[in-house]
Amino acid sequence: MRDLLKTPPKLPADTLRVIPLGGLGDVGRNSTSFEINGQLLLIDCGVLFPSDDHPGVDLILPGLHLIEDRLDDVQALVLTHGHEDHIGAVPYLLRRRPDIPVLGSRLTLALVREKLKEHRLRDVDLRVVSEGTRIRVGEFDLEFLAVNHSIPDALAVAMRTAGGLVLHTGDFKMDQLPLDGRLTDLRGFARLGDEGVDLFMADSTNAETPGFTTHERDIEPAMERVFASAKQKLIVACFASHVHRVQQVMDAAVRHGRKVVYIGRSMVRNMTVAQELGYLRVPANTLIDLKQLENYPDDKVVMISTGSQGEPLSALSRISNHEHPVVTAGPGDVVLLASSLIPGNENSVYRVINGLARNGVTVVHKGNALVHVSGHASAGELLYCYNLIMPKNVMPVHGEIRHLIANADLAVATGVPRNRAIVVEDGAVVDLAKGKAKAVGRLDCGYIFVDGSTVGDIGDAELSDRKILGADGFITVVVVVNLHSGTLVSGPDIHARGFVEDDSVFDGIKVEIAKVIESAMSDGSEDVRGLQQVVRRTVGRWVSNTYRRRPMILPVVVSA
Protein backbone atom coordinates (compact mmCIF):
# COMPACT_ATOMS: atom_id res chain seq x y z
CA MET A 1 0.00 0.00 0.00
CA ARG A 2 1.04 3.65 -0.29
CA ASP A 3 2.47 4.05 3.20
CA LEU A 4 4.44 7.10 4.24
CA LEU A 5 8.17 7.03 3.63
CA LYS A 6 9.96 5.28 6.46
CA THR A 7 13.70 4.71 6.71
CA PRO A 8 14.29 0.96 7.24
CA PRO A 9 16.46 -0.23 10.13
CA LYS A 10 19.99 -1.50 9.65
CA LEU A 11 19.91 -4.90 7.99
CA PRO A 12 20.81 -7.69 10.49
CA ALA A 13 23.17 -10.49 9.49
CA ASP A 14 21.64 -13.44 7.62
CA THR A 15 18.46 -11.48 6.88
CA LEU A 16 17.28 -11.15 3.29
CA ARG A 17 16.04 -7.67 2.36
CA VAL A 18 13.69 -7.39 -0.62
CA ILE A 19 13.03 -4.01 -2.28
CA PRO A 20 10.83 -3.79 -5.39
CA LEU A 21 12.34 -1.14 -7.67
CA GLY A 22 9.42 -1.35 -10.11
CA GLY A 23 6.52 -3.52 -11.18
CA LEU A 24 4.45 -3.31 -8.00
CA GLY A 25 1.76 -0.73 -8.65
CA ASP A 26 2.33 -0.50 -12.42
CA VAL A 27 2.32 -3.01 -15.26
CA GLY A 28 5.92 -2.49 -16.34
CA ARG A 29 9.47 -1.57 -15.23
CA ASN A 30 9.75 -4.86 -13.33
CA SER A 31 12.82 -5.03 -11.12
CA THR A 32 13.57 -6.25 -7.59
CA SER A 33 16.64 -5.88 -5.40
CA PHE A 34 17.64 -8.61 -2.93
CA GLU A 35 20.28 -7.93 -0.28
CA ILE A 36 21.95 -10.14 2.33
CA ASN A 37 25.19 -9.79 4.25
CA GLY A 38 26.33 -6.79 2.23
CA GLN A 39 25.65 -8.31 -1.21
CA LEU A 40 22.94 -7.44 -3.74
CA LEU A 41 21.26 -9.41 -6.50
CA LEU A 42 18.75 -7.98 -8.99
CA ILE A 43 15.95 -9.87 -10.70
CA ASP A 44 14.85 -8.19 -13.95
CA CYS A 45 15.42 -4.63 -15.09
CA GLY A 46 12.56 -3.52 -17.32
CA VAL A 47 10.91 -0.35 -18.57
CA LEU A 48 7.44 1.14 -18.34
CA PHE A 49 6.08 2.76 -21.48
CA PRO A 50 4.72 6.28 -20.99
CA SER A 51 1.03 7.16 -20.98
CA ASP A 52 -0.73 10.33 -22.06
CA ASP A 53 0.32 11.80 -18.69
CA HIS A 54 3.98 11.70 -19.77
CA PRO A 55 4.23 13.91 -22.89
CA GLY A 56 7.54 13.65 -24.71
CA VAL A 57 8.84 10.83 -22.47
CA ASP A 58 10.29 7.79 -24.26
CA LEU A 59 10.68 5.32 -21.40
CA ILE A 60 10.30 5.09 -17.63
CA LEU A 61 13.01 3.23 -15.69
CA PRO A 62 12.81 1.34 -12.38
CA GLY A 63 14.14 3.00 -9.23
CA LEU A 64 17.82 2.37 -9.95
CA HIS A 65 18.66 5.45 -7.87
CA LEU A 66 17.91 3.38 -4.75
CA ILE A 67 20.98 1.23 -5.45
CA GLU A 68 23.09 3.96 -7.12
CA ASP A 69 25.67 3.95 -4.30
CA ARG A 70 25.61 0.14 -3.98
CA LEU A 71 26.41 -0.89 -7.53
CA ASP A 72 29.76 -2.39 -6.52
CA ASP A 73 27.85 -4.76 -4.23
CA VAL A 74 25.66 -6.13 -7.04
CA GLN A 75 26.67 -9.74 -7.64
CA ALA A 76 24.51 -10.30 -10.72
CA LEU A 77 21.42 -9.30 -12.66
CA VAL A 78 19.07 -12.23 -13.30
CA LEU A 79 16.57 -11.94 -16.18
CA THR A 80 13.45 -14.11 -16.17
CA HIS A 81 12.54 -13.56 -19.85
CA GLY A 82 12.98 -11.26 -22.82
CA HIS A 83 10.02 -8.85 -22.71
CA GLU A 84 10.77 -5.12 -22.65
CA ASP A 85 9.14 -4.66 -19.25
CA HIS A 86 11.79 -7.03 -17.88
CA ILE A 87 14.92 -6.27 -19.95
CA GLY A 88 14.38 -2.77 -21.40
CA ALA A 89 16.35 -0.94 -18.70
CA VAL A 90 19.37 -3.27 -18.76
CA PRO A 91 21.47 -0.82 -20.86
CA TYR A 92 20.77 1.99 -18.39
CA LEU A 93 21.98 -0.19 -15.51
CA LEU A 94 25.09 -1.35 -17.36
CA ARG A 95 25.98 2.23 -18.28
CA ARG A 96 26.45 2.75 -14.57
CA ARG A 97 28.53 -0.43 -14.11
CA PRO A 98 29.27 -2.39 -17.30
CA ASP A 99 30.80 -5.48 -15.64
CA ILE A 100 27.71 -6.66 -13.74
CA PRO A 101 27.19 -10.33 -14.71
CA VAL A 102 23.84 -10.79 -16.50
CA LEU A 103 22.21 -14.23 -16.23
CA GLY A 104 19.38 -15.36 -18.47
CA SER A 105 18.21 -17.93 -20.99
CA ARG A 106 19.64 -18.17 -24.50
CA LEU A 107 16.85 -16.23 -26.23
CA THR A 108 16.63 -13.63 -23.47
CA LEU A 109 20.33 -12.83 -23.64
CA ALA A 110 20.29 -12.78 -27.43
CA LEU A 111 17.61 -10.07 -27.31
CA VAL A 112 19.59 -8.22 -24.63
CA ARG A 113 22.74 -8.40 -26.74
CA GLU A 114 20.98 -6.70 -29.66
CA LYS A 115 19.69 -4.01 -27.33
CA LEU A 116 23.15 -3.41 -25.89
CA LYS A 117 24.57 -2.98 -29.40
CA GLU A 118 22.17 -0.10 -29.97
CA HIS A 119 23.55 1.52 -26.80
CA ARG A 120 27.14 0.77 -27.88
CA LEU A 121 27.72 -1.53 -24.92
CA ARG A 122 29.67 -4.54 -26.15
CA ASP A 123 32.11 -6.03 -23.63
CA VAL A 124 29.46 -7.18 -21.15
CA ASP A 125 29.33 -10.35 -19.06
CA LEU A 126 26.35 -12.34 -20.37
CA ARG A 127 25.98 -15.83 -18.86
CA VAL A 128 23.48 -18.29 -20.35
CA VAL A 129 21.46 -20.40 -17.90
CA SER A 130 18.57 -22.78 -18.53
CA GLU A 131 16.00 -24.78 -16.62
CA GLY A 132 17.78 -27.16 -14.26
CA THR A 133 20.80 -24.88 -13.90
CA ARG A 134 21.90 -24.34 -10.30
CA ILE A 135 24.62 -21.80 -9.69
CA ARG A 136 25.98 -19.92 -6.70
CA VAL A 137 26.58 -16.18 -6.99
CA GLY A 138 28.08 -14.87 -3.78
CA GLU A 139 25.52 -15.25 -1.00
CA PHE A 140 22.84 -16.37 -3.48
CA ASP A 141 22.32 -20.03 -4.44
CA LEU A 142 20.20 -19.82 -7.61
CA GLU A 143 18.15 -22.51 -9.32
CA PHE A 144 16.25 -21.95 -12.57
CA LEU A 145 12.98 -23.61 -13.53
CA ALA A 146 11.05 -23.64 -16.81
CA VAL A 147 7.81 -21.67 -17.01
CA ASN A 148 5.69 -20.98 -20.05
CA HIS A 149 4.75 -17.46 -21.04
CA SER A 150 4.05 -15.52 -24.24
CA ILE A 151 7.74 -15.66 -25.16
CA PRO A 152 9.97 -18.76 -25.30
CA ASP A 153 12.67 -19.56 -22.76
CA ALA A 154 11.04 -17.93 -19.71
CA LEU A 155 12.40 -18.94 -16.31
CA ALA A 156 11.35 -18.88 -12.68
CA VAL A 157 14.10 -18.37 -10.11
CA ALA A 158 14.53 -20.15 -6.78
CA MET A 159 16.91 -18.29 -4.48
CA ARG A 160 18.41 -20.01 -1.45
CA THR A 161 20.01 -17.67 1.09
CA ALA A 162 20.83 -17.60 4.77
CA GLY A 163 17.61 -15.61 5.17
CA GLY A 164 15.42 -18.24 3.56
CA LEU A 165 14.27 -19.80 0.29
CA VAL A 166 12.53 -17.49 -2.19
CA LEU A 167 10.66 -18.61 -5.32
CA HIS A 168 10.12 -15.85 -7.91
CA THR A 169 7.90 -16.92 -10.82
CA GLY A 170 8.70 -14.12 -13.26
CA ASP A 171 5.82 -13.83 -15.73
CA PHE A 172 4.23 -17.25 -16.14
CA LYS A 173 1.14 -19.32 -16.85
CA MET A 174 0.33 -23.02 -16.85
CA ASP A 175 -0.62 -23.74 -20.46
CA GLN A 176 -0.94 -27.52 -20.59
CA LEU A 177 -0.73 -27.59 -24.40
CA PRO A 178 2.05 -25.06 -25.11
CA LEU A 179 2.96 -24.44 -28.71
CA ASP A 180 6.63 -25.22 -28.07
CA GLY A 181 5.93 -28.19 -25.77
CA ARG A 182 7.69 -26.49 -22.86
CA LEU A 183 5.59 -26.90 -19.71
CA THR A 184 5.81 -24.92 -16.50
CA ASP A 185 7.86 -27.08 -14.12
CA LEU A 186 5.19 -27.91 -11.55
CA ARG A 187 7.26 -30.86 -10.33
CA GLY A 188 10.02 -28.42 -9.51
CA PHE A 189 7.55 -26.11 -7.76
CA ALA A 190 6.31 -29.06 -5.68
CA ARG A 191 9.87 -30.13 -4.82
CA LEU A 192 10.66 -26.62 -3.60
CA GLY A 193 7.41 -26.66 -1.61
CA ASP A 194 8.54 -29.85 0.11
CA GLU A 195 11.87 -28.17 0.89
CA GLY A 196 10.01 -25.19 2.34
CA VAL A 197 9.45 -21.93 0.44
CA ASP A 198 9.83 -19.04 2.86
CA LEU A 199 8.71 -16.35 0.39
CA PHE A 200 6.69 -16.91 -2.77
CA MET A 201 6.70 -13.99 -5.24
CA ALA A 202 4.05 -14.75 -7.86
CA ASP A 203 2.93 -12.94 -11.02
CA SER A 204 -0.27 -10.99 -10.24
CA THR A 205 -1.25 -9.67 -13.68
CA ASN A 206 -4.29 -11.95 -14.10
CA ALA A 207 -5.11 -12.51 -10.42
CA GLU A 208 -8.55 -10.95 -10.89
CA THR A 209 -9.40 -13.27 -13.80
CA PRO A 210 -11.22 -16.44 -12.68
CA GLY A 211 -10.38 -19.91 -13.91
CA PHE A 212 -7.43 -20.85 -16.09
CA THR A 213 -5.85 -18.88 -18.92
CA THR A 214 -6.93 -20.08 -22.36
CA HIS A 215 -4.46 -22.20 -24.32
CA GLU A 216 -2.39 -20.42 -26.98
CA ARG A 217 -3.53 -22.90 -29.63
CA ASP A 218 -7.21 -22.06 -28.95
CA ILE A 219 -6.95 -18.80 -30.93
CA GLU A 220 -6.12 -20.61 -34.17
CA PRO A 221 -9.76 -21.10 -35.34
CA ALA A 222 -10.46 -17.36 -35.04
CA MET A 223 -7.19 -16.52 -36.78
CA GLU A 224 -8.04 -19.02 -39.51
CA ARG A 225 -11.38 -17.27 -40.09
CA VAL A 226 -9.64 -13.90 -40.41
CA PHE A 227 -7.22 -15.28 -43.03
CA ALA A 228 -10.03 -16.99 -44.92
CA SER A 229 -12.20 -13.87 -45.06
CA ALA A 230 -9.47 -11.31 -45.84
CA LYS A 231 -9.60 -10.54 -49.58
CA GLN A 232 -7.13 -7.66 -49.69
CA LYS A 233 -4.36 -6.44 -47.38
CA LEU A 234 -3.99 -8.24 -44.07
CA ILE A 235 -1.93 -6.71 -41.27
CA VAL A 236 -1.37 -8.53 -37.98
CA ALA A 237 -0.12 -6.41 -35.08
CA CYS A 238 1.44 -8.06 -32.04
CA PHE A 239 4.25 -7.60 -29.56
CA ALA A 240 7.65 -7.58 -31.24
CA SER A 241 8.80 -10.35 -28.90
CA HIS A 242 5.77 -12.66 -29.20
CA VAL A 243 7.52 -15.45 -31.07
CA HIS A 244 4.64 -17.92 -30.55
CA ARG A 245 2.11 -15.54 -32.09
CA VAL A 246 4.37 -14.79 -35.06
CA GLN A 247 4.79 -18.55 -35.58
CA GLN A 248 1.02 -18.98 -35.69
CA VAL A 249 0.70 -16.17 -38.24
CA MET A 250 3.57 -17.62 -40.27
CA ASP A 251 1.91 -21.05 -40.38
CA ALA A 252 -1.47 -19.56 -41.34
CA ALA A 253 0.18 -17.52 -44.09
CA VAL A 254 1.65 -20.68 -45.61
CA ARG A 255 -1.74 -22.42 -45.53
CA HIS A 256 -3.37 -19.50 -47.33
CA GLY A 257 -0.61 -18.87 -49.85
CA ARG A 258 0.51 -15.51 -48.49
CA LYS A 259 4.05 -14.22 -48.18
CA VAL A 260 5.11 -12.68 -44.85
CA VAL A 261 6.78 -9.31 -44.35
CA TYR A 262 7.85 -7.78 -41.04
CA ILE A 263 7.10 -4.11 -40.42
CA GLY A 264 8.85 -2.25 -37.61
CA ARG A 265 12.52 -2.27 -36.62
CA SER A 266 12.02 -4.16 -33.36
CA MET A 267 9.93 -6.83 -35.09
CA VAL A 268 12.62 -7.37 -37.73
CA ARG A 269 15.36 -7.51 -35.09
CA ASN A 270 13.62 -9.84 -32.65
CA MET A 271 12.26 -12.28 -35.21
CA THR A 272 15.64 -12.47 -36.94
CA VAL A 273 17.22 -13.42 -33.60
CA ALA A 274 14.46 -15.95 -32.87
CA GLN A 275 14.88 -17.56 -36.28
CA GLU A 276 18.66 -17.74 -36.02
CA LEU A 277 18.38 -19.50 -32.64
CA GLY A 278 15.74 -21.95 -33.85
CA TYR A 279 12.81 -20.61 -31.81
CA LEU A 280 10.96 -19.48 -34.96
CA ARG A 281 10.47 -21.80 -37.94
CA VAL A 282 10.24 -19.91 -41.22
CA PRO A 283 9.31 -22.11 -44.21
CA ALA A 284 11.37 -21.55 -47.35
CA ASN A 285 10.17 -18.86 -49.75
CA THR A 286 7.77 -17.41 -47.17
CA LEU A 287 9.52 -14.32 -45.82
CA ILE A 288 10.02 -11.28 -48.04
CA ASP A 289 11.54 -7.86 -47.47
CA LEU A 290 9.39 -4.73 -47.15
CA LYS A 291 11.03 -3.42 -50.33
CA GLN A 292 9.52 -6.37 -52.24
CA LEU A 293 5.98 -5.63 -51.09
CA GLU A 294 5.00 -3.82 -54.31
CA ASN A 295 5.85 -6.95 -56.31
CA TYR A 296 2.94 -8.94 -54.81
CA PRO A 297 -0.87 -8.53 -54.94
CA ASP A 298 -2.47 -7.40 -51.68
CA ASP A 299 -4.15 -10.78 -51.14
CA LYS A 300 -0.84 -12.64 -51.37
CA VAL A 301 0.92 -10.98 -48.43
CA VAL A 302 0.40 -10.74 -44.68
CA MET A 303 2.26 -8.00 -42.83
CA ILE A 304 3.31 -8.59 -39.20
CA SER A 305 3.62 -5.22 -37.54
CA THR A 306 4.58 -3.57 -34.29
CA GLY A 307 2.18 -1.15 -32.62
CA SER A 308 -0.38 -3.36 -30.89
CA GLN A 309 -0.33 -0.98 -27.90
CA GLY A 310 -0.91 2.16 -29.94
CA GLU A 311 2.65 3.47 -29.55
CA PRO A 312 2.73 6.82 -31.40
CA LEU A 313 5.86 6.06 -33.46
CA SER A 314 5.07 2.40 -34.16
CA ALA A 315 4.38 1.08 -37.64
CA LEU A 316 0.65 0.53 -37.05
CA SER A 317 0.10 4.04 -35.65
CA ARG A 318 1.85 5.53 -38.64
CA ILE A 319 -0.27 3.42 -40.99
CA SER A 320 -3.47 4.58 -39.27
CA ASN A 321 -2.33 8.21 -39.64
CA HIS A 322 -1.29 7.85 -43.32
CA GLU A 323 2.30 8.53 -42.26
CA HIS A 324 4.00 5.22 -43.11
CA PRO A 325 6.38 5.60 -46.09
CA VAL A 326 5.40 2.26 -47.69
CA VAL A 327 2.20 0.78 -46.24
CA THR A 328 -1.33 2.16 -46.51
CA ALA A 329 -4.60 0.64 -45.30
CA GLY A 330 -8.11 1.50 -46.47
CA PRO A 331 -11.53 0.08 -47.36
CA GLY A 332 -11.54 -3.70 -47.66
CA ASP A 333 -8.27 -4.16 -45.78
CA VAL A 334 -8.12 -6.06 -42.47
CA VAL A 335 -6.03 -5.37 -39.38
CA LEU A 336 -5.80 -8.07 -36.72
CA LEU A 337 -4.69 -6.89 -33.26
CA ALA A 338 -3.32 -10.13 -31.82
CA SER A 339 -2.41 -8.77 -28.39
CA SER A 340 -3.74 -7.95 -24.96
CA LEU A 341 -4.57 -4.46 -23.79
CA ILE A 342 -1.97 -3.38 -21.22
CA PRO A 343 -3.54 -1.22 -18.47
CA GLY A 344 -2.77 2.43 -19.16
CA ASN A 345 -2.62 1.97 -22.93
CA GLU A 346 -6.36 1.93 -23.54
CA ASN A 347 -6.60 5.45 -24.98
CA SER A 348 -3.65 4.92 -27.33
CA VAL A 349 -4.97 1.59 -28.63
CA TYR A 350 -8.50 2.86 -29.21
CA ARG A 351 -7.08 5.93 -30.94
CA VAL A 352 -5.36 3.64 -33.46
CA ILE A 353 -8.45 1.42 -33.85
CA ASN A 354 -10.62 4.47 -34.49
CA GLY A 355 -8.11 5.87 -36.96
CA LEU A 356 -8.08 2.61 -38.92
CA ALA A 357 -11.88 2.32 -38.80
CA ARG A 358 -12.20 5.90 -40.06
CA ASN A 359 -10.09 4.85 -43.05
CA GLY A 360 -12.51 1.99 -43.81
CA VAL A 361 -10.32 -0.77 -42.39
CA THR A 362 -11.92 -3.77 -40.67
CA VAL A 363 -10.24 -4.16 -37.26
CA VAL A 364 -10.38 -7.53 -35.50
CA HIS A 365 -9.26 -7.44 -31.86
CA LYS A 366 -9.65 -9.22 -28.55
CA GLY A 367 -12.89 -7.34 -27.89
CA ASN A 368 -14.70 -8.87 -30.87
CA ALA A 369 -12.91 -12.19 -31.49
CA LEU A 370 -10.73 -14.76 -29.71
CA VAL A 371 -7.52 -13.61 -31.39
CA HIS A 372 -5.30 -13.34 -28.32
CA VAL A 373 -4.77 -15.12 -25.02
CA SER A 374 -2.84 -13.81 -22.06
CA GLY A 375 0.63 -14.90 -21.09
CA HIS A 376 -0.18 -14.73 -17.38
CA ALA A 377 -1.64 -17.18 -14.87
CA SER A 378 -5.28 -16.62 -13.94
CA ALA A 379 -6.74 -17.11 -10.46
CA GLY A 380 -7.22 -20.86 -10.85
CA GLU A 381 -3.56 -21.36 -11.74
CA LEU A 382 -2.42 -19.20 -8.84
CA LEU A 383 -4.60 -21.16 -6.41
CA TYR A 384 -3.09 -24.36 -7.78
CA CYS A 385 0.43 -23.02 -7.12
CA TYR A 386 -0.39 -21.89 -3.58
CA ASN A 387 -1.81 -25.32 -2.72
CA LEU A 388 1.14 -27.04 -4.39
CA ILE A 389 3.90 -24.96 -2.77
CA MET A 390 2.30 -24.04 0.60
CA PRO A 391 4.59 -21.03 1.12
CA LYS A 392 5.17 -19.54 4.58
CA ASN A 393 4.98 -15.98 3.23
CA VAL A 394 3.65 -14.43 0.04
CA MET A 395 4.59 -11.16 -1.68
CA PRO A 396 2.60 -10.67 -4.92
CA VAL A 397 4.53 -9.02 -7.76
CA HIS A 398 3.91 -7.65 -11.26
CA GLY A 399 0.68 -5.69 -11.40
CA GLU A 400 -1.35 -2.71 -10.33
CA ILE A 401 -2.43 -2.50 -6.69
CA ARG A 402 -5.76 -4.20 -7.43
CA HIS A 403 -3.93 -7.16 -8.96
CA LEU A 404 -1.58 -7.44 -5.98
CA ILE A 405 -4.50 -7.40 -3.52
CA ALA A 406 -6.42 -10.00 -5.52
CA ASN A 407 -3.34 -12.24 -5.59
CA ALA A 408 -2.86 -11.90 -1.82
CA ASP A 409 -6.53 -12.77 -1.28
CA LEU A 410 -6.03 -15.98 -3.25
CA ALA A 411 -3.07 -16.90 -1.03
CA VAL A 412 -5.12 -16.26 2.11
CA ALA A 413 -7.95 -18.41 0.74
CA THR A 414 -5.53 -21.36 0.57
CA GLY A 415 -4.41 -20.95 4.18
CA VAL A 416 -1.62 -18.38 4.14
CA PRO A 417 -2.09 -16.17 7.24
CA ARG A 418 -3.30 -12.67 6.34
CA ASN A 419 -0.28 -11.06 8.01
CA ARG A 420 2.01 -13.26 5.88
CA ALA A 421 0.42 -12.13 2.58
CA ILE A 422 2.32 -8.89 2.16
CA VAL A 423 0.90 -6.36 -0.28
CA VAL A 424 3.41 -3.57 -0.95
CA GLU A 425 4.29 -1.22 -3.78
CA ASP A 426 7.53 0.03 -5.30
CA GLY A 427 10.08 1.22 -2.75
CA ALA A 428 8.79 -0.95 0.11
CA VAL A 429 11.42 -2.68 2.23
CA VAL A 430 10.60 -6.26 3.26
CA ASP A 431 12.91 -8.33 5.47
CA LEU A 432 12.89 -12.14 5.55
CA ALA A 433 14.47 -14.13 8.37
CA LYS A 434 13.66 -17.34 10.25
CA GLY A 435 10.61 -18.06 8.13
CA LYS A 436 8.93 -14.70 8.63
CA ALA A 437 8.65 -11.80 6.19
CA LYS A 438 7.81 -8.30 7.39
CA ALA A 439 7.60 -4.83 5.82
CA VAL A 440 10.06 -2.66 7.75
CA GLY A 441 10.24 0.58 5.75
CA ARG A 442 9.50 2.45 2.58
CA LEU A 443 11.80 4.42 0.27
CA ASP A 444 11.01 6.97 -2.42
CA CYS A 445 10.95 4.96 -5.67
CA GLY A 446 9.75 7.65 -8.06
CA TYR A 447 9.87 7.46 -11.83
CA ILE A 448 13.10 7.99 -13.76
CA PHE A 449 12.19 9.38 -17.19
CA VAL A 450 14.19 8.80 -20.37
CA ASP A 451 13.72 11.61 -22.86
CA GLY A 452 15.89 11.33 -25.95
CA SER A 453 19.42 10.89 -24.65
CA THR A 454 18.70 12.38 -21.23
CA VAL A 455 17.97 10.21 -18.22
CA GLY A 456 16.43 11.59 -15.04
CA ASP A 457 16.47 15.27 -16.05
CA ILE A 458 12.70 15.49 -16.44
CA GLY A 459 10.52 15.81 -13.34
CA ASP A 460 6.89 16.43 -12.46
CA ALA A 461 7.24 20.19 -12.98
CA GLU A 462 8.53 19.72 -16.53
CA LEU A 463 5.74 17.27 -17.32
CA SER A 464 3.15 19.76 -16.09
CA ASP A 465 4.66 22.42 -18.34
CA ARG A 466 4.66 20.03 -21.29
CA LYS A 467 0.97 19.27 -20.93
CA ILE A 468 0.41 22.97 -21.52
CA LEU A 469 3.26 23.80 -23.88
CA GLY A 470 3.79 20.62 -25.90
CA ALA A 471 5.63 17.33 -25.67
CA ASP A 472 9.21 18.65 -25.61
CA GLY A 473 8.70 22.07 -24.00
CA PHE A 474 10.24 25.21 -25.38
CA ILE A 475 13.47 27.22 -25.27
CA THR A 476 13.70 31.00 -25.50
CA VAL A 477 16.89 32.71 -26.63
CA VAL A 478 17.16 36.49 -26.19
CA VAL A 479 19.97 38.44 -27.88
CA VAL A 480 20.54 42.20 -28.18
CA VAL A 481 22.65 43.36 -31.16
CA ASN A 482 23.85 46.61 -32.72
CA LEU A 483 23.25 46.14 -36.43
CA HIS A 484 25.14 49.30 -37.35
CA SER A 485 28.39 48.27 -35.69
CA GLY A 486 27.80 44.54 -36.20
CA THR A 487 28.38 43.77 -32.53
CA LEU A 488 26.65 41.73 -29.85
CA VAL A 489 25.41 44.03 -27.07
CA SER A 490 24.12 41.42 -24.60
CA GLY A 491 23.17 37.79 -24.35
CA PRO A 492 22.46 35.26 -25.40
CA ASP A 493 20.15 34.66 -22.43
CA ILE A 494 18.58 31.21 -22.62
CA HIS A 495 15.65 29.88 -20.60
CA ALA A 496 13.56 26.73 -20.94
CA ARG A 497 10.21 25.40 -19.77
CA GLY A 498 9.30 21.72 -19.88
CA PHE A 499 12.76 20.85 -21.20
CA VAL A 500 15.28 20.60 -18.37
CA GLU A 501 15.29 21.72 -14.77
CA ASP A 502 18.49 23.78 -14.86
CA ASP A 503 19.23 26.42 -17.51
CA SER A 504 22.95 25.97 -16.87
CA VAL A 505 22.93 23.13 -19.43
CA PHE A 506 22.92 25.86 -22.09
CA ASP A 507 26.20 27.44 -20.94
CA GLY A 508 28.19 25.50 -23.53
CA ILE A 509 26.11 26.62 -26.51
CA LYS A 510 26.08 30.33 -25.66
CA VAL A 511 29.57 30.92 -27.07
CA GLU A 512 28.63 29.23 -30.34
CA ILE A 513 25.44 31.31 -30.64
CA ALA A 514 27.44 34.51 -30.13
CA LYS A 515 29.95 33.43 -32.79
CA VAL A 516 27.34 32.61 -35.46
CA ILE A 517 25.49 35.90 -34.84
CA GLU A 518 28.67 37.97 -35.10
CA SER A 519 29.69 36.01 -38.19
CA ALA A 520 26.32 36.63 -39.83
CA MET A 521 26.52 40.38 -39.10
CA SER A 522 30.10 40.57 -40.39
CA ASP A 523 28.84 38.98 -43.62
CA GLY A 524 26.47 41.89 -44.01
CA SER A 525 23.28 40.61 -42.41
CA GLU A 526 21.13 43.51 -41.21
CA ASP A 527 17.89 41.58 -40.92
CA VAL A 528 16.62 40.69 -37.42
CA ARG A 529 14.52 37.87 -38.84
CA GLY A 530 17.55 36.39 -40.56
CA LEU A 531 19.50 36.47 -37.31
CA GLN A 532 16.62 34.77 -35.52
CA GLN A 533 16.74 31.93 -38.05
CA VAL A 534 20.49 31.59 -37.46
CA VAL A 535 19.85 31.29 -33.72
CA ARG A 536 17.02 28.80 -34.23
CA ARG A 537 19.12 26.55 -36.49
CA THR A 538 22.12 26.66 -34.16
CA VAL A 539 20.15 25.83 -31.03
CA GLY A 540 17.99 23.25 -32.81
CA ARG A 541 21.03 21.41 -34.16
CA TRP A 542 22.69 21.41 -30.74
CA VAL A 543 19.56 20.17 -28.94
CA SER A 544 19.00 17.41 -31.49
CA ASN A 545 22.62 16.19 -31.32
CA THR A 546 22.85 16.47 -27.53
CA TYR A 547 19.40 15.40 -26.36
CA ARG A 548 17.70 13.90 -29.45
CA ARG A 549 14.65 16.05 -28.81
CA ARG A 550 12.75 18.76 -30.70
CA PRO A 551 11.47 21.47 -28.37
CA MET A 552 9.90 24.64 -29.67
CA ILE A 553 12.68 27.26 -30.07
CA LEU A 554 11.73 30.92 -29.74
CA PRO A 555 14.63 33.21 -30.73
CA VAL A 556 14.26 36.89 -29.91
CA VAL A 557 16.82 39.26 -31.52
CA VAL A 558 16.51 42.89 -30.46
CA SER A 559 18.27 45.70 -32.33
CA ALA A 560 19.67 48.28 -29.89
Side-chain angles (χ1 to χ4, degrees), residues 34 39 44 57 97 152 175 187 206 277 303 376 387 434 460 508:
F34 298 84
Q39 296 185 2
D44 290 330
V57 172
R97 187 190 147 199
D175 192 333
R187 288 186 177 181
N206 272 1
L277 295 179
M303 293 165 265
H376 303 272
N387 286 323
K434 299 178 181 178
D460 292 337

Side-chain angles (χ1 to χ4, degrees), residues 462 465 469 472-477 493-503 505-506 549 551-552:
E462 285 70 33
D465 287 342
L469 304 170
D472 281 337
F474 74 86
I475 299 170
T476 59
V477 185
D493 295 320
I494 307 178
H495 302 283
R497 292 290 300 274
F499 182 72
V500 289
E501 294 182 359
D502 189 351
D503 287 340
V505 299
F506 300 111
R549 284 154 59 186
M552 182 185 297

Side-chain angles (χ1 to χ4, degrees), residues 24-42:
L24 276 65
D26 292 306
V27 178
R29 67 170 197 152
N30 298 288
S31 185
T32 307
S33 166
F34 298 84
E35 178 184 0
I36 189 167
N37 296 332
Q39 296 185 2
L40 299 179
L41 182 117
L42 302 178

Side-chain angles (χ1 to χ4, degrees), residues 20 31 44 117 127 215 223 232 237 271 287 338 357 440 443 456 481 490 515 518 539:
S31 185
D44 290 330
K117 287 179 183 177
R127 304 181 186 180
H215 302 310
M223 185 177 292
Q232 295 179 192
M271 291 309 118
L287 192 64
V440 299
L443 305 172
V481 298
S490 69
K515 285 182 179 178
E518 291 173 342
V539 176

Side-chain angles (χ1 to χ4, degrees), residues 15 41 54 91 132 138 186 223 294 296 384 398 402 495 541:
T15 297
L41 182 117
H54 308 117
L186 297 179
M223 185 177 292
E294 62 182 16
Y296 294 87
Y384 189 100
H398 303 172
R402 59 192 173 93
H495 302 283
R541 188 184 311 113

